[in-house]
């Protein structure tokens, strides 16, 4: 069972004192008891003759602080050796405090020991023993190291002894960290299928360590068994293999080579074909300064393959921007000689630059005199964001090591690689280039339209900001004609803009757009002009320039309510009217007089697809008409008794009548012609008497519904 802290502390105030006063110590060193005369003693796995005493006295080299190696979840027997001890308990923890958790395991008083398991996770831990003796607490501690022991790392060779039937076997225990956790090795070499006869060797403190054996048997194959055991015991890892006499290694061969990895530009991946269990050395040279390999120096990599096949080996080069060549040699360990490789291969470093016309990539020229590898061609690849490669060019001239890529967009990143084709491939590093020196491409389709007859909206119909690399802003330019001087009038992130500073009914405006990104400002787009309509006499005319980057194929003229912008339908009027021309004679329209003298028209242009574009609103005032008779008979018979004005769209009239000597004899004013259109001169003078028959002069002033003044003069004959 697990002790509770409350019960434990109330029985022994000593441990409360430890908890309050103890300070954490370095990892791997037992926490020191503050009362040095209070000593505990316990054993591990019943080794009572070599017990754990106290806590190490804060001494890093004390036996308590030198880790005992144990296996993950190894069975441990912990025994409290303090005579007369009470309230005994143990805990195993990674926490370097005297009392770190409530995981103390109580020790039965009948046995003074417990059986538990070591932690499953490798690392440093503390075994702590607690108890009390006659009211005085005691404490002891031992550092343990849970190690996940690996198989012994070694090489082995078996060679024939010349002139005899004997064989020499040499096992070399390698200088590997995992070997240094092993305290003893057990090994045996026996004929294939025989019972192993193990020999144990311990106390090895220096690696590599060689174990020579001589075998007198004449068998062809043998079993090798080798295992390692740690100090405490119970933790064993073994390895085995079949031995045959080492033959002369095959000449090694180099396959494909690749420069650079996703995490290390200097890493080289090299495929090799080599003989198993034979030490090989990969040699490197800089062809710019070395024509041969310095095989008396340090190799780029030493390795021993476990199988005779192609294997991938990784090594690093001093400077990934420079070209390096490689060959691999094998060592005949029995005959003590080097077996040269049949070929060599070189890296293909790739670099690049940007220019206004695109990207330029340059790679190291292939070596033309390589052993066993003849140049064939270069393949230039472009790699998209998903990793898909596209072959863009194959070059067969060994000296042509440059490629200009003009199919690029400013601000977009491109990835390139080059493969030098010898008998085997040499693949370059992946090169990423983002060109910011090319002017951004112009925008695609644009449109412009008049909004509500008062403002002009300019729109990028094809591109939004997030469609453009390194986008920062759209720029809007305006002029008073399509070929006029353009001035930037707005800049913003929206793909459309309403220009409210214009008067679309007063004149024509034209626009173009650009966009700005990390590459600067783009070239101008096509120029666009919203439809500008105006009256010319009785004809409605409009601008021929397109409101879209696509041409307008037809126009539709319709009446509009200028307050709402909604169309007004008038049956039989001829509106809406569709045209492919740029003018319309409005006298051909048949709009009823009751619709009023002033009407408003708008023009809609269409490319055949949405959207459409609108013009400004055109105010059309239909002409007023004022007619008068040449004679009348004011005789009171009810027929033609009054001389009055006839016409349309008349608001008010003023009529002055003169005799033939120029005297004003009558003045009639009609302020509401629409209500009383027949108000006029009844043939009487200002004194109320009928005028004699004869000719009289009239002068008429007419105000139409639009406020226009019309003046007419003439003569009228009075007949009785």
């Amino acid at each position: 069972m697990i002790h509770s802290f409350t019960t434990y502390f109330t029985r022994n105030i000593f441990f409360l004192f430890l908890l309050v006063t103890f300070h954490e110590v370095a990892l791997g060193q037992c926490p020191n008891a503050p009362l040095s005369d209070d000593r505990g003693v316990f054993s591990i796995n019943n080794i009572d003759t070599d017990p754990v005493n106290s806590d190490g006295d804060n001494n890093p080299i004390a036996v308590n602080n030198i880790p005992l190696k144990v296996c993950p979840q190894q069975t441990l027997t912990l025994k409290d050796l303090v005579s007369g001890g009470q309230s005994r308990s143990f805990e195993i923890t990674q926490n370097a405090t005297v009392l770190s958790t409530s995981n103390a395991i109580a020790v039965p008083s009948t046995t003074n020991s417990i059986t538990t398991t070591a932690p499953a996770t490798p690392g440093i831990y503390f075994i702590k023993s607690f108890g009390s003796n006659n009211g005085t607490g005691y404490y002891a501690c031992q550092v343990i190291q849970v190690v996940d022991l690996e198989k012994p790392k070694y090489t082995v060779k078996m060679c024939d002894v010349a002139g005899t039937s004997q064989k020499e076997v040499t096992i070399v225990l390698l200088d590997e960290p995992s070997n240094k956790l092993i305290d003893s090795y057990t090994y045996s070499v026996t004929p294939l299928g025989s019972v192993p006869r193990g020999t144990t060797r311990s106390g090895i403190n220096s690696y590599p360590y060689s174990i020579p054996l001589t075998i007198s048997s004449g068998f062809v194959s043998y079993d090798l068994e080798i295992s390692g055991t740690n100090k405490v015991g119970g933790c064993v890892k073994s390895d085995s293999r079949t031995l045959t006499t080492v033959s002369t290694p095959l000449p090694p061969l180099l396959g494909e080579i690749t420069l650079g990895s996703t995490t290390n530009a200097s890493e080289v991946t090299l495929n090799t074909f080599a003989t198993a269990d034979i030490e090989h050395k990969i040699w490197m040279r800089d062809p710019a300064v070395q024509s041969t390999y310095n095989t008396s120096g340090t190799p780029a990599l030493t390795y021993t393959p476990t199988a005779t096949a192609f294997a991938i080996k990784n090594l690093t080069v001093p400077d990934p921007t420079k070209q390096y060549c490689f060959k691999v040699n094998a060592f005949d360990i029995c005959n003590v000689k080097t077996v040269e490789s049949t070929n060599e291969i070189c890296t293909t470093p790739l670099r690049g630059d940007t220019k206004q016309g695109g990207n330029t990539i340059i790679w190291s020229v292939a070596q033309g005199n390589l052993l066993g590898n003849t140049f064939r061609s270069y393949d230039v690849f472009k790699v998209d964001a998903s990793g898909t490669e596209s072959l863009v060019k194959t070059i067969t001239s060994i000296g042509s090591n440059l490629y200009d890529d003009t199919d690029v967009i400013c601000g977009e990143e491109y990835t390139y690689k080059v493969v030098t084709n010898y008998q085997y491939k040499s693949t370059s590093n992946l090169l990423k280039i983002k060109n910011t020196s090319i002017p951004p491409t112009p925008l695609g389709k644009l449109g412009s339209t008049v909004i509500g007859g008062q403002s002009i909206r300019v729109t990028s119909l094809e591109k939004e900001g997030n469609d453009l690399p390194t986008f920062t802003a759209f720029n809007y330019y305006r002029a008073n004609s399509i070929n006029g001087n353009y001035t930037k009038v707005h800049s913003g992130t929206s793909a459309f803009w309403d220009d409210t500073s214009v008067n679309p009914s007063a004149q024509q405006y034209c626009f173009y757009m650009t966009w700005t990104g990390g590459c600067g400002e783009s070239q101008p787009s096509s120029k666009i002009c919203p439809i500008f309509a105006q009256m010319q006499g009785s004809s409605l005319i409009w601008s021929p320039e397109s409101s879209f980057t696509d041409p307008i194929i037809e126009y539709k003229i319709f009446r509009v309510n200028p307050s709402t912008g909604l169309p007004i339908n008038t049956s039989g009027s001829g509106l809406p009217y569709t045209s492919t021309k740029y003018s319309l004679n409005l006298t051909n329209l048949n709009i009823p007089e009751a619709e009023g003298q002033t009407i408003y028209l708008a023009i809609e242009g269409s490319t055949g697809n949405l959207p459409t574009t609108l013009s400004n609103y055109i105010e059309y005032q239909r002409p007023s008409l004022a007619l008068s008779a040449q004679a009348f008979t004011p005789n009171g018979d009810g027929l033609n008794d009054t001389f009055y004005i006839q016409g349309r769209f008349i608001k008010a009239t003023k009529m002055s009548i003169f005799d033939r000597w120029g005297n004003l004899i009558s003045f009639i004013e009609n302020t509401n012609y629409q209500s009383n259109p027949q108000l006029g001169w009844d043939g009487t003078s200002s004194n109320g008497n009928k005028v004699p028959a004869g000719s009289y002069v009239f002068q008429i002033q007419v105000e139409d519904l639009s406020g226009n003044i019309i003046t007419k003069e003439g003569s009228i004959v009075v007949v009785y």
Side-chain angles (χ1 to χ4, degrees), residues 464-500:
E464 297 284 343
N466 54 14
D467 298 326
L468 302 167
T470 67
F471 168 82
T472 56
F474 289 108
N475 307 299
Y476 298 80
Y477 290 80
R478 183 183 69 207
N480 293 337
S481 66
I482 193 166
N483 294 317
N485 294 323
Y486 285 81
T487 303
K488 184 190 288 189
V489 289
H490 180 70
S491 183
T493 57
S494 175
F496 71 90
W497 173 63
D498 292 342
D499 189 349
T500 59

Side-chain angles (χ1 to χ4, degrees), residues 517-537:
C519 306
E521 188 171 5
S522 73
Q523 297 294 319
S525 66
S526 299
K527 297 172 182 177
I528 53 172
C529 310
I531 301 171
F532 173 61
Q534 56 185 321
M535 292 299 303
Q536 192 174 82

Side-chain angles (χ1 to χ4, degrees), residues 386-609:
S386 66
T388 302
E389 299 178 354
S390 300
L391 177 65
V392 294
K393 192 169 186 179
T394 296
I395 302 170
T396 57
S397 173
I398 191 171
S400 299
N401 63 325
L402 180 146
Y403 173 71
D404 286 323
D405 185 9
T406 58
D407 184 20
V408 297
I409 298 175
C410 186
E412 289 195 2
E413 185 176 72
Y414 297 89
T415 302
Y416 302 90
K417 80 172 186 180
V418 173
V419 175
T420 301
N421 294 301
Y422 302 101
Q423 273 81 351
Y424 293 96
K425 295 180 179 180
S426 172
T427 302
S428 75
N429 51 297
L430 291 179
L431 178 67
K432 296 182 182 295
I433 301 179
K434 181 183 291 186
N435 195 323
T436 58
S437 60
I438 303 173
T441 55
L443 289 169
K445 295 182 179 181
L446 269 64
S448 62
T449 185
V450 177
I451 302 293
Q454 298 178 339
S455 62
I456 296 175
R457 174 169 293 181
V458 184
T459 307
S460 170
L461 298 174
E462 196 173 79
K463 302 287 187 181
E464 297 284 343
N466 54 14
D467 298 326
L468 302 167
T470 67
F471 168 82
T472 56
F474 289 108
N475 307 299
Y476 298 80
Y477 290 80
R478 183 183 69 207
N480 293 337
S481 66
I482 193 166
N483 294 317
N485 294 323
Y486 285 81
T487 303
K488 184 190 288 189
V489 289
H490 180 70
S491 183
T493 57
S494 175
F496 71 90
W497 173 63
D498 292 342
D499 189 349
T500 59
S501 65
V502 294
N503 184 356
S505 296
Q507 66 176 76
Q508 184 186 44
Y509 299 92
C510 295
F511 298 83
Y512 71 76
M513 287 178 64
T514 66
W515 65 278
T516 303
C519 306
E521 188 171 5
S522 73
Q523 297 294 319
S525 66
S526 299
K527 297 172 182 177
I528 53 172
C529 310
I531 301 171
F532 173 61
Q534 56 185 321
M535 292 299 303
Q536 192 174 82
S538 60
S539 292
L540 172 65
I541 63 172
W542 55 92
S543 57
E545 293 86 3
S546 183
S547 300
F548 296 104
T549 45
D550 290 339
I552 294 178
I553 61 174
E554 69 174 17
Y555 299 92
K556 183 181 291 184
I557 299 93
F558 58 92
R559 285 186 66 192
V560 66
N561 183 329
S563 299
T564 64
L566 297 176
I568 300 174
N569 294 321
T570 303
S571 178
S573 66
L575 295 176
Y577 179 85
T578 300
S579 173
T580 57
K581 300 179 180 179
Y582 304 113
S583 65
L584 174 64
N585 190 334
L586 298 181
T587 60
N588 296 329
L589 300 179
N590 186 27
I591 302 175
E593 183 179 333
E595 296 288 329
Q597 183 180 12
T598 302
I599 62 174
Y600 291 87
L601 302 172
I603 302 173
E604 179 184 75
S606 172
T607 63
N609 299 298

Side-chain angles (χ1 to χ4, degrees), residues 15 113 212 218 254 313 336 339 343 395 456 483 519 599 666 677 693:
F15 291 101
S113 66
L254 291 176
K313 306 309 295 182
V336 194
V339 180
N343 69 336
I395 302 170
I456 296 175
N483 294 317
C519 306
I599 62 174
S666 183

Side-chain angles (χ1 to χ4, degrees), residues 41-43 46 48 77-90 105-115 129-130 138:
V41 183
F42 68 94
S43 64
N46 295 314
D48 297 354
T77 299
L78 305 178
K79 183 177 181 181
D80 188 343
L81 300 178
V82 176
S83 177
Q86 299 174 333
S87 299
R88 309 172 198 263
S89 63
F90 286 95
I105 304 173
V107 178
S109 58
T110 55
T111 62
N112 296 341
S113 66
I114 61 168
T115 298
S129 169
F130 304 98
Y138 59 81

Side-chain angles (χ1 to χ4, degrees), residues 159-327:
C159 301
D160 289 328
V161 179
T164 71
S165 62
Q166 294 181 329
K167 299 180 183 295
E168 288 185 347
V169 177
T170 304
I171 303 171
V172 178
L173 302 174
L174 301 178
D175 187 7
E176 296 283 349
S178 59
N179 279 354
K180 295 176 182 179
L181 298 177
I182 297 174
D183 290 296
S184 64
Y185 297 87
T186 300
Y187 56 89
S188 68
V189 178
T190 55
L192 195 66
S194 300
V195 178
R197 298 186 298 273
T199 300
T200 300
R201 185 162 300 195
S202 59
I204 299 174
N205 298 317
S206 178
Y207 291 90
Y209 186 84
S210 180
I211 304 174
L213 303 171
T214 300
I215 301 175
S216 298
S217 172
F219 285 86
V220 176
S221 299
Y222 294 83
D223 286 329
L224 167 66
E225 296 280 346
I226 184 169
S227 62
T229 307
N230 76 343
K231 182 176 181 180
V232 174
C235 189
V236 178
K237 287 293 178 73
S238 301
D239 187 55
S240 63
R241 67 180 66 178
T242 300
L243 301 181
T244 56
T245 302
V246 176
S247 59
T248 300
L250 297 172
L253 178 70
L254 291 176
E256 295 183 5
I257 187 171
T258 301
L259 176 61
S261 68
T262 56
T263 58
N264 187 355
S266 298
E267 185 173 273
V268 172
T269 302
L270 184 61
N271 287 356
T272 68
F273 183 86
T275 305
D277 300 319
I278 298 296
E279 181 179 87
H280 289 71
K281 294 181 179 180
I282 298 177
W283 300 96
M284 177 173 65
R285 68 180 175 94
D286 179 352
V289 296
Q290 294 173 288
S291 59
T292 60
Y293 295 90
N294 179 18
T295 56
S296 63
T298 303
L301 182 69
T302 299
Y303 71 102
T304 301
T306 58
T308 303
F310 271 107
I312 297 176
K313 306 309 295 182
N314 295 320
L315 57 150
T316 58
V317 294
D319 183 353
T321 65
K322 296 176 62 176
Q323 186 180 56
Y324 295 91
C325 298
F326 299 88
K327 77 171 185 177

